[in-house]
Amino acid sequence: MNIMLKPVYIVGAGPGDPDLITVKGRNLLIKADVIVYANSLIPDSMLQFCRADAEIIPTASKSLEEILEIMIDRVRSHKLVVRLHDGDPSLYGAIQEQIVALTEAEIPFEIIPGVSAFQLAAARLQTELTVPELVQTIILTRISGRTQVPEREELSSLAAHQASLCLYLSAHHVENAQAKLMEHYPSDTTVAICYRLGQEDEKILIVPLSDMASITQKENLTRTTLFVISAALNKVNKNIRERSQLYSSHYKRLFR
Ligand SMILES: C[S@@+](CC[C@H](N)C(=O)[O-])C[C@H]1O[C@@H](n2cnc3c(N)ncnc32)[C@H](O)[C@@H]1O
């Protein structure tokens, strides 16, 4: 490893609200010479902290090889490079390929964690996902799509635990997901359909599990949607409902 080179900073930007990046992440954005970011997932408002003369490189239309070539080139030119990822980089961030390639190229890197979507969901829902004597486990998972989930992690087998389950990357397969969840969760289990949390058009719909797919499709919430399925939401639901009617525009309730 060449210790004369600056590391690439792989920074978790959080779910989209610019105030939800860590102080360390924000300080790096302020100093960075180069910011490489997934513009399809990270709102431009995150870039408000960057220097006016920083080189800002959106990556939506770039291949992994192109992105790596840019990062390696800039680090070798002794630039401070931030690779900005949405949420927390350790969750569905596809950073593994970058780690392997940077290591092979002897480029140092450091990972700065971020707030994941499930954490902002719990905050918005004003709930604990590990309520004593009710549920003590959180499962973060997804359904198979273009990326296959290993068979031993099949959604129906995870559902058997009836843990607080946070379902990423699954809105396009929501009917299939609902069917697998209903093999084990009661059909009236509360589901929070969380769309574009932390962004201007954020929407949270609270529905029974039996309506999860139909409402997701009817409302067309197929991009950047996280589902939280949990008995913990059953518990707090009434309180949220009362409070939200008074103070909050974040919630839309569809419980009958
Ligand atoms: C490629 S994954 C990245 C997850 C991210 N690293 C994280 O920690 O939240 C993208 C998926 O995360 C979820 N997601 C990410 N940001 C979100 C947000 N602001 N609101 C709702 N869901 C979000 C959705 O399920 C989306 O399909």
Side-chain angles (χ1 to χ4, degrees), residues 15 86-88 91-92 116-117 168-169 194 196-197 199 224-226:
D86 68 309
D88 182 74
L91 283 168
Y92 309 113
S116 183
Y168 287 74
L169 290 163
C194 305
R196 291 175 57 84
L197 294 162
Q199 312 205 18
T224 321
T225 301
L226 174 82

Side-chain angles (χ1 to χ4, degrees), residues 15-18 20 43 120 124 195-200 202:
D17 177 344
L20 288 179
L120 182 55
R124 289 283 197 257
Y195 173 75
R196 291 175 57 84
L197 294 162
Q199 312 205 18
E200 280 185 356
E202 168 181 306

Side-chain angles (χ1 to χ4, degrees), residues 5 72-79:
L5 296 178
I72 291 169
D73 171 76
R74 302 305 190 272
V75 169
R76 288 189 175 144
S77 309
H78 301 279
K79 301 274 173 69

